[in-house]
Amino acid sequence: MNSLKIKAQSSERTKMVNQKEKMVIYAVLPRLFGNGNIGRIVNGSITENGCGKMADFDGKALQEIKHLGATHIWYIGLIEHATQTNYSQYGIPADHPAIVKGKAGSPYAIKDYYDIDPDLAKAVPDRMKEFRHLVDRTHKAGLKMIIDFIPNHVARQYHSNAKPQGVIDLGERDDTSKAFNPSNNFYYIPGKKLQGSIDLHDGAIKPYEEFPAKATGNDRFDAFLNIADWYETVKLNYGVDYLNEHSKHFCPIPDTWNKMRDILRFWAAKGIDGFRCDMAEMVPVEFWHWAIPQIKEKYPELIFIAEIYNPGAYRNYLFNGKFDYLYDKAGLYDSLRAITCGRESCTVLTSRWQSLNGIQSQMLNFLENHDEQRLASDFFAGNGHNGIPAMIISATMNTNPVMIYFGQELGERGMDTEGFSGRDGRTSIFDYWTVDTIFRWRNNGRFTDEYLNKKEIELRQFYKRLLTMCNREKAIREGEFFDLTYANIEGWTFNEHKQFAYLRKKDNDLLLIVVNFEDYPVHIAVNLPQHAFDYLGIPPITDRPAKELLSETTGRLSLLPDKATKLTLDRKSGKIWKIGLESLKNN
C-alpha cells in the first residue's frame, strides 16, 4: 500500500496547465447532419437518399451547438473527395466506382486538396463561396472552426481542377519508372498493373486500370489490393524509402513537403481556426517540425490536432512535431471503453494519467468519433445512459480538450445498415444516410424536443450541463487534479474496480467528482488522505453547504482526512459536488 501511495502522490504533484478556455469540440459530418430524407434505401444514391449541406449549419443550428457547451466545431469531410456521384457537368471528372468506398465515398480519399466537396453545396459552382459563408456563420455563433487535413494519402484518381495558377499537381512530374524517388509524390511498383481481390469493374463498363500500380495508403507497397486495405487511396511520398530500411531523404526538401505546406497555407488563409490531421504519425515527424512553425508564423493561433495511436510517439509529435494536441485513443479511450464494458478495473485510470507524465493537458479526450463504434451501440455501452460515468471522467479529469461526435448527446446508436458501412455500430462515413436522432432533434431546422423521447431529452440535458460546466467551472477549466484511488483500495465501502473518485480545485472552488460503473445503485464512503488537503491547500470541511452540479441540487457535505465521506450514486452515474472555500478560509 505504501509504495502505491508514494507513486500516486508523486504523480499528483504535477501541476495542470492553466488556460482561459477548455476546448469542447463538436465533431460533425455535414453530409449527414442536415439530411432530412427519411425514405432511405441501402446503398442509395444521393438522389435516392439525399445529402446534408453546409447551409444546414445556419445561425440557429450553430447556436444550438454552442449552447450545448461547444467551443469548437470540427466539420468532417469538407474537402473534395472521391465519390460515385457524377459531377462531370461541373468539370469534375467522374471517379471509377471500383475504387470508391460506398456511394458517397470516404471523406479521407481526397480528390482535390484545393476544393470543397460538391455534395455539400446547394449550388455546386458556388461551393467555395458557400464555404466562406460557413466560416463566417461559425465565427458569428461564437464557435471556432476545425477542418480535416489528410496528409498521408489521397484518392487513387487524385486530380486538382481548382489548384491556384502555377501549382503543379501531385504526381504530375513523377518518374514512374522508379519505386522510390525523393522528388516523386507517390510510390510506384514499376512494371506492375494494379490488381487484387476487389472487383475492379464494380458495375462499370471498363475495369479500373492503374499502371504502374501505386502503393496503397495503408503502407502496402505492392500491386495487390484486398477489401481490408485502404484500397481507395494511394500513399504520399515524404522522402522515406520504406523498402530500404525506411531510409530518409530530406535534403533537399522533398517536393511533397512543399506541396502539402502550401495546401495548409491555402486553407489557413480562409479563416479557419485549426486542423485535425488524419493519421499524422504515418507522416514523418520531420515534416511537421518543418511545416507547422511556417504556418503558425502567420497564423499563430491556429491549432493542430494529431490523430495518433502510438503512445511511444506522443512526445516526439508534441515536442518535435510541434502539434498542440494528440488523440488519447490508446490510453484513456481504450480504458474507459473497457471499464464501461466490464473488462477492466477503474484502478487502471491512475496509471493512464501517470503514464502521460506532464503532457495530459495536450491530450484530446473522447468516447466517440467517426472511426469508432457509437457509445450507445450494441458493441459498446448498449445505450447512451450507460456511458455517463465514462463521459464525466473524459470531460472533467483534466484541463485538456474533450470531444463529442454529433448524436452522442442524444444516444445515437449507429446500428443502421446503411450500405458499404454495414451494421457495425458506427455511423457511416461512406454512404448517403440520415441520422435518426439528429433528424428528429433538428425538426426541419426548428431544433426542438418535440420528436425526442424522454430518455433522449434527459441525456441531452446531461451533456449540456456537463459540457457547459467545463468552462463555467474554473476548477474544471484550469484547476488542479488529485486522484483518490490509492486511498480507497480494498475498502469495504468503496469498490475501486467499479468506482472512481478525484478532486479538482482552483482558488476557492473545490469539486469532489465520483462515478459509479456498477449496474445498480451504491452507497459508498470515499476516503480523502491528509496529503490531498496538504497538496491542494484546503482545510478540513465539516457539514458545509454544497451543490451537486449535474442534478443542480443542494445538500451538505463533510470532507475530512480522518472520516470517509458518505455518498449515494445511482447505477451508471456520477456526481460532481462543489464546495466554496472562501468562507472557510476567512474563518
Side-chain angles (χ1 to χ4, degrees):
M1 177 69 76
N2 288 339
S3 62
L4 178 61
K5 179 178 178 179
I6 291 170
K7 180 181 178 182
Q9 289 177 355
S10 174
S11 295
E12 287 156 6
R13 290 191 180 101
T14 301
K15 298 285 186 179
M16 301 305 176
V17 176
N18 288 350
Q19 55 193 49
K20 293 181 180 179
E21 179 183 71
K22 180 180 173 76
M23 286 176 56
V24 179
I25 302 173
Y26 191 83
V28 58
L29 192 64
R31 178 201 297 159
L32 302 181
F33 179 84
N35 191 7
N37 186 351
I38 59 173
R40 307 156 299 178
I41 62 173
V42 175
N43 283 316
S45 68
I46 191 171
T47 303
E48 294 165 324
N49 283 9
C51 183
K53 308 296 180 183
M54 291 180 286
D56 294 316
F57 293 90
D58 58 14
K60 175 64 174 173
L62 292 168
Q63 279 302 319
E64 290 292 334
I65 293 169
K66 174 71 173 176
H67 291 158
L68 186 64
T71 61
H72 294 65
I73 184 167
W74 164 24
Y75 295 106
I76 299 170
L78 291 183
I79 299 177
E80 184 185 325
H81 57 80
T83 178
Q84 293 191 36
T85 301
N86 191 332
Y87 287 103
S88 57
Q89 62 178 309
Y90 301 101
I92 301 172
D95 298 294
H96 196 289
I99 50 163
V100 178
K101 289 182 176 178
K103 295 296 184 184
S106 169
Y108 295 95
I110 297 300
K111 182 177 176 178
D112 188 342
Y113 275 121
Y114 287 101
D115 209 351
I116 288 294
D117 195 78
D119 275 353
L120 304 179
K122 294 184 73 174
V124 173
D126 295 332
R127 57 193 180 276
M128 189 60 77
K129 180 180 179 181
E130 291 185 29
F131 168 77
R132 290 194 294 268
H133 290 164
L134 178 63
V135 176
D136 293 341
R137 288 196 306 274
T138 301
H139 290 157
K140 186 177 180 180
L143 291 163
K144 294 181 180 178
M145 181 171 176
I146 298 170
I147 69 169
D148 288 293
F149 176 57
I150 298 94
N152 176 67
H153 48 267
V154 295
R156 298 204 86 94
Q157 291 182 299
Y158 181 92
H159 175 71
S160 177
N161 295 305
K163 63 184 185 295
Q165 187 175 2
V167 171
I168 299 170
D169 215 2
L170 288 168
E172 188 176 329
R173 295 183 178 177
D174 279 7
D175 181 351
T176 61
S177 69
K178 295 182 179 179
F180 169 78
N181 185 323
S183 298
N184 283 353
N185 299 133
F186 300 118
Y187 297 94
Y188 296 90
I189 299 87
K192 298 289 185 179
K193 180 180 178 180
L194 186 71
Q195 53 188 302
S197 60
I198 66 168
D199 179 6
L200 292 177
H201 274 87
D202 196 23
I205 297 174
K206 294 183 179 180
Y208 174 72
E209 295 183 357
E210 185 177 289
F211 183 87
K214 300 184 183 75
T216 303
N218 57 316
D219 288 1
R220 181 155 188 163
F221 295 92
D222 59 36
F224 299 91
L225 302 177
N226 66 56
I227 195 68
D229 289 324
W230 302 349
Y231 64 80
E232 78 280 27
T233 69
V234 289
K235 174 85 172 178
L236 282 169
N237 173 6
Y238 284 81
V240 179
D241 188 351
Y242 288 92
L243 299 182
N244 288 287
E245 299 181 344
H246 289 212
S247 59
K248 298 179 178 180
H249 304 261
F250 299 157
C251 187
I253 295 297
D255 183 67
T256 303
W257 287 30
N258 288 307
K259 284 185 166 68
M260 301 310 279
R261 177 204 56 196
D262 292 346
I263 291 163
L264 286 168
R265 284 175 170 168
F266 175 83
W267 291 106
K270 304 296 183 187
I272 66 164
D273 303 288
F275 293 100
R276 177 268 187 192
C277 300
D278 187 71
M279 297 307 299
E281 64 185 309
M282 294 183 76
V283 171
V285 72
E286 291 87 349
F287 165 75
W288 301 112
H289 176 84
W290 174 84
I292 290 178
Q294 292 187 62
I295 307 304
K296 288 201 171 192
E297 185 176 357
K298 186 171 182 179
Y299 307 99
E301 301 300 319
L302 203 70
I303 61 170
F304 284 80
I305 301 169
E307 180 191 19
I308 185 169
Y309 298 103
N310 176 15
Y314 283 178
R315 285 168 176 77
N316 194 20
Y317 277 76
L318 282 175
F319 303 133
N320 293 326
K322 308 299 182 181
F323 276 96
D324 298 291
Y325 302 103
L326 311 177
Y327 268 37
D328 197 5
K329 161 67 171 66
L332 190 63
Y333 170 87
D334 283 349
S335 292
L336 287 175
R337 177 166 182 157
I339 293 166
T340 299
C341 296
R343 299 192 302 265
E344 202 163 59
S345 165
C346 288
T347 55
V348 75
L349 295 173
T350 298
S351 61
R352 286 290 175 260
W353 67 258
Q354 286 178 341
S355 68
L356 294 171
N357 193 23
I359 63 171
Q360 190 176 2
S361 63
Q362 292 178 273
M363 305 304 294
L364 172 61
N365 293 350
F366 58 86
L367 291 176
E368 286 193 24
N369 63 41
H370 67 276
D371 287 318
E372 307 300 335
Q373 290 169 321
R374 286 284 193 175
L375 179 60
S377 75
D378 293 347
F379 301 92
F380 196 161
N383 64 65
H385 286 262
N386 287 346
I388 283 176
M391 188 62 215
I392 292 172
I393 294 171
S394 186
T396 69
M397 193 173 173
N398 200 278
T399 61
N400 56 318
V402 63
M403 177 174 71
I404 70 167
Y405 189 44
F406 78 120
Q408 179 181 339
E409 72 277 21
L410 296 166
E412 175 60 41
R413 303 188 69 239
M415 295 299 293
D416 293 342
T417 304
E418 302 103 328
F420 183 88
S421 179
R423 195 170 186 266
D424 59 1
R426 297 175 176 86
T427 292
S428 175
I429 65 170
F430 307 107
D431 303 289
Y432 296 112
W433 204 250
T434 302
V435 178
D436 175 63
T437 54
I438 292 292
F439 168 77
R440 288 186 283 111
W441 169 62
R442 286 189 73 251
N443 192 10
N444 292 317
R446 290 190 288 272
F447 296 93
T448 68
D449 295 342
E450 182 179 357
Y451 296 109
L452 300 178
N453 62 44
K454 182 180 178 181
K455 288 186 177 181
E456 290 165 344
I457 293 170
E458 290 175 349
L459 189 63
R460 191 171 190 278
Q461 288 173 342
F462 158 76
Y463 271 89
K464 187 174 183 179
R465 286 173 183 160
L466 180 67
L467 297 179
T468 55
M469 189 189 308
C470 286
N471 276 295
R472 185 182 69 246
E473 298 296 332
K474 59 184 177 181
I476 297 175
R477 183 181 69 240
E478 52 188 299
E480 297 177 40
F481 165 85
F482 194 100
D483 187 343
L484 296 170
T485 299
Y486 82 90
N488 290 278
I489 298 291
E490 298 177 355
W492 290 99
T493 57
F494 189 98
N495 183 350
E496 71 272 21
H497 304 299
K498 292 294 186 178
Q499 284 103 46
F500 188 63
Y502 49 100
L503 298 169
R504 298 294 308 275
K505 191 252 185 184
K506 177 66 177 177
D507 300 332
N508 290 322
D509 289 346
L510 177 68
L511 303 180
L512 170 63
I513 304 174
V514 188
V515 301
N516 174 36
F517 286 91
E518 290 280 20
D519 201 25
Y520 51 80
V522 295
H523 300 282
I524 63 172
V526 184
N527 292 314
L528 282 76
Q530 180 62 50
H531 178 60
F533 294 85
D534 296 339
Y535 173 70
L536 295 174
I538 57 175
I541 299 168
T542 304
D543 193 31
R544 302 295 298 182
K547 183 176 182 180
E548 203 290 298
L549 299 178
L550 289 172
S551 63
E552 299 182 341
T553 58
T554 57
R556 303 187 73 83
L557 212 61
S558 294
L559 302 180
L560 303 168
D562 56 358
K563 186 177 181 181
T565 300
K566 295 181 179 180
L567 298 170
T568 299
L569 295 171
D570 291 334
R571 65 171 296 278
K572 305 284 188 181
S573 71
K575 290 186 175 180
I576 302 176
W577 283 101
K578 179 180 181 179
I579 300 176
L581 302 176
E582 186 173 6
S583 60
L584 291 172
K585 291 186 176 182
N586 289 339
N587 291 336

